[in-house]
Amino acid sequence: MAGQPADAPPPRGLFVGLCTLDVVHLVARRPDSDEKVSAEQQVVAAGGPATNAAVTFAHLGGAATLVSAVGGHGLAGIMCDDLTTNGVRIVDIAVDRTRPPRVSAVAVTKGTGARAVIAYDMAPPEIAPTTAVTALARTAEVVEVDGHYPEAALAALRAARAEHRLTVYDGGRWRPEIRQLLPWVEVAVCSADFRPSGCCTPADVLAFLAECGVRYAALTSGKGSIDWRGPNGAAGRVEVSRVDVVDTLGAGDVFHGALSYGLARAEFLDPDVFESALGFAAGVASRSCTSFGTRAWMTDTAEPPK
């Protein structure tokens, strides 16, 4: 994979999407009704697809900026401190400074890495005008969106494509508003839960993304293989390495941050580059599953694909 010169400045990544406060407990088992269990470990950190991707991008050596609705609530300070500590610049587009952020309570079962999540899907907050977002998108090597705050995501994608910047979409679950974003997306990597209306199989989803204008698309399946398609009939499958799983929380987000970093360092995008970046991202995501929480894995090091 062709990369930037060794003395090149770090690639710039703009990440637009959700930022939450995650309170994560490691438990021997989940509690039954009316039962309290003691956690063996606890982690409190900023979370969300775009957020964890930005942290990963920064950890790997990129200059990451996160655009999200954080606000001025006291809990938001915890999130901002965590992101600043991890090298992520924050651009807050929230208008209401008193509204609390979304908080996710997570129980991770020791021994399996399985997670149970309780999250409040509150109504989207009002966001500020997107002028600053478009300016940042024009100068980033890669712009990644997770579909939250679609107005800001659309502005970033349009500005990035106007300057021939790489655009990436992280598809978790299908929502109708995603349809307007896809014509501006060059790379889309979606989970097995991503099922647009009328799509019954993975092949249907890949065909749908191509019809929407996405040039390179891939579908992940947790610990299974990754199927991808590119232009002119290019296609392939990337195998995911097996690891001793401790915690799967945020692994998909880590994957997208590593993928964006690998692609941002490339001089161009072709099928070989895409497949290489997918393999690199899968390796980083697998490594993130071998420790508890969404940050502990970063004590390890990973070299980006060459």
Side-chain angles (χ1 to χ4, degrees):
M1 178 174 176
Q4 295 178 336
D7 58 348
R12 291 159 296 185
L14 180 67
F15 298 82
V16 182
L18 186 64
C19 187
T20 65
L21 181 65
D22 289 354
V23 182
V24 190
H25 294 93
L26 181 66
V27 296
R29 61 177 180 84
R30 299 175 192 172
D32 293 326
S33 298
D34 297 321
E35 181 187 20
K36 176 182 178 181
V37 298
S38 295
E40 297 185 19
Q41 294 185 58
Q42 176 181 278
V43 169
V44 179
T51 298
N52 287 327
V55 169
T56 300
F57 190 91
H59 169 68
L60 293 174
T65 300
L66 172 68
V67 174
S68 189
V70 178
H73 190 276
L75 291 176
I78 301 173
M79 298 151 62
C80 292
D81 287 347
D82 175 59
L83 292 171
T84 300
T85 298
N86 284 283
V88 177
R89 175 190 175 192
I90 309 156
V91 176
D92 185 9
I93 55 175
V95 171
D96 185 352
R97 311 303 297 171
T98 63
R99 174 173 165 154
R102 184 169 128 178
V103 178
S104 294
V106 186
V108 177
T109 303
K110 184 178 180 180
T112 68
R115 63 191 189 276
V117 182
I118 301 175
Y120 178 40
D121 288 329
M122 63 180 71
E126 181 184 358
I127 65 171
T130 57
T131 305
V133 178
T134 57
L136 289 167
R138 292 190 184 102
T139 59
E141 274 72 43
V142 60
V143 172
E144 181 190 311
V145 303
D146 65 12
H148 293 274
Y149 313 120
E151 181 182 347
L154 183 58
L157 292 172
R158 283 177 167 171
R161 289 300 295 270
E163 298 295 330
H164 306 289
R165 304 294 183 173
L166 181 66
T167 54
V168 178
Y169 169 59
D170 171 359
R173 293 177 296 170
W174 169 256
R175 299 187 302 276
E177 59 268 27
I178 300 304
R179 184 65 179 80
Q180 65 177 327
L181 304 180
L182 293 178
W184 304 95
V185 170
E186 188 168 12
V187 173
V189 180
C190 304
S191 74
D193 295 328
F194 186 84
R195 282 289 188 271
S197 177
C199 294
C200 301
T201 67
D204 292 340
V205 177
L206 289 171
F208 170 82
L209 292 170
E211 291 169 3
C212 290
V214 176
R215 292 186 64 225
Y216 288 88
L219 296 180
T220 62
S221 56
K223 61 183 179 181
S225 57
I226 302 167
D227 292 318
W228 66 269
R229 286 187 184 176
N232 302 318
R237 173 171 291 177
V238 174
E239 299 299 331
V240 177
S241 59
R242 303 290 181 177
V243 296
D244 294 327
V245 174
V246 173
D247 183 2
T248 60
L249 181 66
D253 312 336
V254 170
F255 176 94
H256 280 88
L259 176 69
S260 291
Y261 181 74
L263 294 175
R265 292 187 74 250
E267 295 178 354
F268 52 84
L269 177 58
D270 66 13
D272 289 338
V273 167
F274 185 54
E275 185 168 72
S276 178
L278 287 173
F280 167 66
V284 177
S286 293
R287 188 159 48 254
S288 76
C289 295
T290 62
S291 56
F292 173 63
T294 55
R295 303 286 186 265
W297 70 272
M298 294 189 297
T299 58
D300 194 3
T301 59
E303 289 296 327
K306 301 300 183 182

